[in-house]
Amino acid sequence: LAGGADAKPFAGRHLLVTSGPTHEPIDPVRYLANRSSGKQGHAIAAAAARAGARVTLVSGPVILPDPPGVTVVRVETARAMLAAVEAALPADVAVFAAAVADWRPAAETDEKIKKGTEGPPPLRLVENPDILATVAQRREGRPPLVVGFAAETASVLDHARAKIARKGCDLIVANDVSAAGGVMGGDRNTVHLIGRDGSVETWPTLDKDEVARRLVARLADLAGTPPE
Ligand code: CTP
Ligand code: CA
């Protein structure tokens, strides 16, 4: 049966996936966000469930249906995503596919900001926690296999190599998200797998579902057979 449609290489494993954008409130009616659709992260969660894993998907706001057989935890902000991820640990494999907002407004006002006579209000930002780096650098309870994504619009491989070292993860899936490529929101993706040793494996342009299927097969290989 090995490799067939019925193969369950991830049986007995817990896989944690983040997906989608985050929304960072400015006031009760406005937020800061990005163009992530969640398609790639959701496809990974779905593929892992089909491969027999117990899957927890921590998702920012998306319009996608919940993947079958997956426990979905919905969050809005980066801080809530970090809390949900930590609550979902331990995991055997963690895949951080979410496009987390790097910054959030320093203060969220309780009332809608009104147009004043003083012109546009200043939007002061503070940095969000780095969920991937926080989990990858845990002293206790670090998942044995931690996978990050790298969303780049230029110098994809150089930036991704720097990222794997900075974050402390085991593997980076790098993709070019410049507007011309149509990756953000689109159905196809061209990815490069970057290892800790700097090795690069470039995959052909594939449907996000097929990227997910191949990635899950690779991760099941890397994770090995579960202990009894
Ligand atoms: N990530 C995260 N928490 C953040 C920012 C990013 O978990 N606050 C994760 C993403 O899910 C992804 C990886 O880190 O797996 C890289 O995200 P990316 O935006 O490409 O990198 P950054 O470190 O945020 O750097 P920059 O956006 O400046 O390229
Ligand atoms: Ca970022």
Side-chain angles (χ1 to χ4, degrees):
L1 268 175
D6 293 336
K8 300 279 184 231
F10 255 140
R13 302 287 193 168
H14 179 211
L15 195 122
L16 172 63
V17 186
T18 69
S19 184
T22 64
H23 286 183
E24 309 295 334
I26 297 169
D27 70 12
V29 299
R30 304 181 177 98
Y31 58 82
L32 204 66
N34 61 64
R35 296 186 187 282
S36 169
S37 64
K39 280 179 190 165
Q40 188 63 81
H42 277 55
I44 292 165
R50 287 196 306 271
R54 176 166 79 81
V55 182
T56 306
L57 173 62
V58 179
S59 177
V62 297
I63 55 169
L64 301 171
D66 290 353
V70 168
T71 301
V72 182
V73 182
R74 284 185 205 73
V75 298
E76 295 251 333
T77 66
R79 285 174 296 172
M81 186 173 276
L82 174 60
V85 161
E86 291 192 315
L89 292 175
D92 299 291
V93 182
V95 181
F96 294 88
V100 182
D102 291 320
W103 308 283
R104 68 176 181 273
E108 177 190 358
T109 63
D110 291 338
E111 286 180 23
K112 183 184 160 191
I113 302 170
K114 301 296 289 177
K115 276 183 292 188
T117 45
E118 284 122 67
L123 192 55
R124 207 169 72 75
L125 302 176
V126 294
E127 198 162 318
N128 268 328
D130 189 317
I131 302 164
L132 165 60
T134 303
V135 172
Q137 291 165 26
R138 274 171 83 104
R139 283 165 181 242
E140 277 167 40
R142 180 196 191 273
L145 186 54
V146 177
V147 182
F149 270 67
E152 311 290 352
T153 57
S155 310
V156 177
L157 298 181
D158 286 347
H159 282 141
R161 283 204 184 93
K163 231 164 238 182
I164 196 169
R166 194 168 74 233
K167 306 266 187 180
C169 57
D170 304 301
L171 189 73
I172 285 243
V173 182
N175 54 8
D176 185 340
V177 294
S178 46
V183 170
M184 282 245 174
D187 288 324
R188 290 168 77 76
N189 202 358
T190 315
V191 306
H192 314 270
L193 257 52
I194 289 141
R196 282 196 77 90
D197 57 358
S199 63
V200 178
E201 184 179 313
T202 299
W203 289 358
T205 301
L206 301 164
D207 278 350
K208 287 180 177 178
D209 288 334
E210 180 61 14
V211 170
R213 205 187 59 72
R214 290 190 189 199
L215 183 63
V216 161
R218 176 65 59 90
L219 297 181
D221 260 5
L222 292 172
T225 333
E228 281 309 308

